[in-house]
């Protein structure tokens, strides 16, 4: 599947990493040169500097051949313009757009080219599954055939795990930490990694429930 993601903030970057790891062809568009430089070398993701609200930028990013466009910028007005261009000008089959302000949710519908409106608080896994329209697209995250689940949990200032190292956390049996995402970038989950508020963890388990995993960190 060819995917174009507009906005290389934490959310857009995470989606790009997951979908590219699931062997999709992913292009990530970001207008901030410094942010693009930070992400240089992002595995299996094509980076493009430019304003995704500009039709020329979308065309250079491959919108004409895209199966899915996901607008994840921090501005609702930008996400709506990107969605409208993707659907109306480039005929993209499926368009998902992030809703940053809940009061604007009523705008995110077919009139603006939005097939899937995603509230900002939607968990990463749920967002990707809904945006792609099929759970098998993200088999990396749902390994049901092997009896394995990947569960997401976020560290807040109130989390019991905040300030502790991974080595100090007693994980449920059959569970390992796959990655710690910090500031939009994955961190190698060694035992010495100290968890900070804002960190997002993806854990792989074939025995523990989501409640048990959250209890270990929250």
């Amino acid at each position: 599947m060819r995917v174009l993601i507009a906005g290389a903030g934490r959310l857009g970057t995470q989606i790009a990493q997951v979908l590219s790891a699931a062997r999709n062809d992913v292009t990530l568009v970001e207008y901030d040169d410094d942010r693009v430089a930070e992400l240089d070398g992002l595995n299996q993701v094509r980076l493009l500097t430019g304003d995704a609200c500009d039709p020329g930028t979308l065309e250079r990013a491959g919108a004409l051949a895209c199966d899915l466009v996901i607008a994840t910028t921090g501005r609702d007005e930008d996400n709506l313009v990107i969605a409208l261009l993707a659907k109306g000008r480039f005929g993209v089959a499926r368009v998902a757009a992030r809703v940053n302000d809940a009061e604007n949710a009523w705008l995110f519908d077919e009139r603006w080219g939005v097939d899937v409106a995603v509230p900002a608080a939607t968990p990463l896994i749920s967002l990707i599954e809904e945006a792609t329209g099929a759970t098998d697209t993200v088999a990396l995250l749902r390994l049901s055939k092997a009896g394995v689940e990947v569960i997401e949990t976020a560290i807040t200032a109130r989390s019991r795990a905040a300030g502790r190292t991974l080595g100090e956390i007693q994980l449920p049996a059959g569970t390992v930490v796959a990655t710690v995402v910090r500031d939009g970038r994955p961190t190698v989950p060694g035992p010495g990694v100290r968890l900070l508020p804002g960190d997002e963890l993806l854990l792989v388990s074939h025995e523990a429930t989501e409640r048990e995993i959250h209890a270990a960190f929250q």
Side-chain angles (χ1 to χ4, degrees):
M1 181 170 64
R2 294 184 178 89
V3 184
L4 191 162
I5 301 170
R10 182 175 64 179
L11 180 63
T13 302
Q14 289 177 348
I15 295 172
Q17 290 171 325
V18 171
L19 290 182
S20 65
R23 299 186 179 182
N24 294 287
D25 183 347
V26 180
T27 298
L28 182 57
V29 180
E30 170 60 43
Y31 75 92
D32 187 335
D33 290 330
D34 292 336
R35 178 59 175 164
V36 172
E38 287 178 13
L39 297 174
D40 185 39
L42 197 63
N43 192 33
Q44 302 298 319
V45 176
R46 176 191 176 207
L47 291 168
L48 179 66
T49 304
D51 183 357
C53 292
D54 175 17
T57 299
L58 290 178
E59 187 168 355
R60 285 191 292 115
L64 284 168
C66 275
D67 303 297
L68 169 67
V69 166
I70 307 177
T72 64
T73 80
R75 294 167 56 90
D76 285 343
E77 54 267 43
D78 288 352
N79 290 340
L80 287 170
V81 169
I82 293 164
L84 186 62
L85 287 170
K87 182 68 70 174
R89 180 155 181 168
F90 296 101
V92 177
R94 192 166 182 83
V95 178
R98 178 185 186 182
V99 183
N100 296 282
D101 186 341
E103 293 185 0
N104 294 330
W106 65 277
L107 290 166
F108 286 71
D109 59 21
E110 67 279 358
R111 293 170 300 174
W112 281 91
V114 178
D115 297 305
V116 179
V118 185
T122 301
L124 175 64
I125 293 174
S126 298
L127 184 157
I128 295 172
E129 290 180 347
E130 186 172 2
T132 57
T135 56
D136 57 1
T137 304
V138 285
L140 178 71
L141 298 182
R142 297 293 188 190
L143 305 175
S144 57
K145 290 183 179 179
V148 176
E149 289 285 338
V150 174
I151 299 173
E152 180 183 18
T153 190
I155 304 300
T156 70
R158 296 184 179 183
S159 299
R160 62 189 300 182
R164 301 172 66 187
T165 65
L166 282 175
E168 296 173 326
I169 308 298
Q170 184 172 356
L171 296 175
T175 302
V176 296
V177 179
T179 189
V180 177
V181 180
R182 178 173 296 165
D183 297 326
R185 306 197 71 173
T187 301
V188 177
V193 172
R194 192 169 300 278
L195 299 175
L196 304 175
D199 287 351
E200 296 183 5
L201 286 74
L202 293 181
L203 300 98
V204 179
S205 181
H206 60 82
E207 293 185 26
T209 66
E210 186 170 347
R211 178 176 294 182
E212 289 173 328
I213 288 178
H214 286 180
F217 292 90
Q218 306 304 328

